[in-house]
């Protein structure tokens, strides 16, 4: 059975949790309000595609290719991005829920997360250098042996980053957010009156 090549097609309100998306390569395709929850997207390649208002929670993405893919207003709980194909991996995330997902050892240099919930996301051993976390909720996100050099956390909240176990040279924080670097020391920081 040969794999499909689908180009410049729009998929609207499709339920791929029941009727599986065909294996193949999708280029310049748009997915609007589609349901991929618990579906198998393994070994499918998405190139220059856009996902709007989609549910991809718990989708299987083993060796899935995401090359310059936009996710906007999507629910993406429990995704294992560490299992994706490395070749050309590049995603943009805007106003999504990515809680409980894993980017373990993923190269995400210069990635931009905008207004996204990243609660309990595993960023262990990631390259997040020069990345931007714009107005993101990082409650219980894991940063361990992570390259955060020149990353921007100025408008994000609820993160805990151990400066001794991560590379943070040049990373940007505000006085309000710098508390996330001191959590492990169990010290009290009070406003100056």
């Amino acid at each position: 059975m040969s794999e499909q090549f689908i180009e410049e097609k729009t998929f609207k309100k499709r339920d791929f949790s029941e009727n599986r998306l065909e294996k193949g390569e999708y280029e310049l395709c748009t997915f609007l309000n589609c349901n991929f929850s618990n579906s198998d997207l393994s070994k499918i390649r998405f190139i220059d595609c856009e996902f709007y208002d989609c549910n991809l929670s718990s989708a299987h993405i083993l060796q899935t290719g995401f090359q310059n893919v936009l996710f906007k207003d999507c629910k993406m709980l429990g995704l294992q991005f560490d299992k994706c194909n490395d070749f050309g991996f590049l995603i943009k995330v805007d106003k999504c829920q990515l809680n409980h997902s894993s980017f373990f050892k993923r190269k995400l240099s210069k990635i931009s997360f905008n207004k996204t919930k990243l609660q309990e996301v595993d960023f262990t051993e990631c390259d997040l250098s020069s990345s931007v976390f714009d107005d993101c909720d990082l409650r219980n996100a894991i940063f361990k042996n992570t390259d955060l050099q020149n990353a921007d956390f100025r408008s994000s909240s609820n993160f805990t980053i151990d400066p001794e176990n991560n590379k943070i040279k040049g990373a940007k924080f505000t006085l309000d957010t710098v508390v996330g670097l001191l959590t492990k020391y169990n010290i009290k920081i009070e406003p100056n009156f």
Side-chain angles (χ1 to χ4, degrees), residues 6-130:
I6 296 91
E7 188 175 25
E8 297 184 37
K9 185 172 179 181
T10 298
F11 299 84
K12 290 183 184 175
K13 296 184 179 181
R14 300 275 299 273
D15 189 348
F16 295 109
S17 66
E18 292 179 6
N19 299 309
R20 184 177 158 157
L21 183 67
E22 289 186 60
K23 294 268 189 217
E25 188 170 298
Y26 294 79
E27 190 168 341
L28 296 164
C29 290
T30 303
F31 298 88
L32 302 170
N33 200 15
C34 293
N35 183 15
F36 295 92
S37 63
N38 295 304
S39 62
D40 188 359
L41 301 175
S42 297
K43 298 183 180 175
I44 295 175
R45 286 182 62 197
F46 298 99
I47 303 165
D48 297 317
C49 291
E50 297 178 340
F51 292 80
Y52 296 95
D53 296 304
C54 293
N55 183 358
L56 293 105
S57 295
S58 300
H60 302 282
I61 52 176
L62 180 65
Q63 289 301 309
T64 303
F66 292 110
Q67 297 171 258
N68 195 33
V69 173
L70 169 69
F71 297 100
K72 185 170 175 64
D73 297 311
C74 292
K75 187 175 179 182
M76 306 164 66
L77 306 178
L79 293 183
Q80 302 296 312
F81 286 101
D82 53 324
K83 307 260 192 266
C84 287
N85 191 323
D86 286 332
F87 182 76
F89 183 88
L90 176 63
I91 60 172
K92 296 176 207 133
V93 183
D94 187 23
K95 298 178 187 163
C96 293
Q97 292 181 46
L98 258 168
N99 301 343
H100 309 288
S101 294
S102 176
F103 289 95
F104 179 69
K105 289 189 175 184
R106 176 72 44 202
K107 288 180 174 58
L108 301 170
S109 181
K110 299 181 182 175
I111 193 171
S112 179
F113 292 104
N114 181 45
K115 292 179 172 55
T116 294
K117 286 191 177 184
L118 296 160
Q119 297 173 356
E120 298 186 38
V121 171
D122 187 358
F123 291 110
T124 301
E125 296 184 33
C126 277
D127 177 358
L128 287 164
S129 58
S130 300

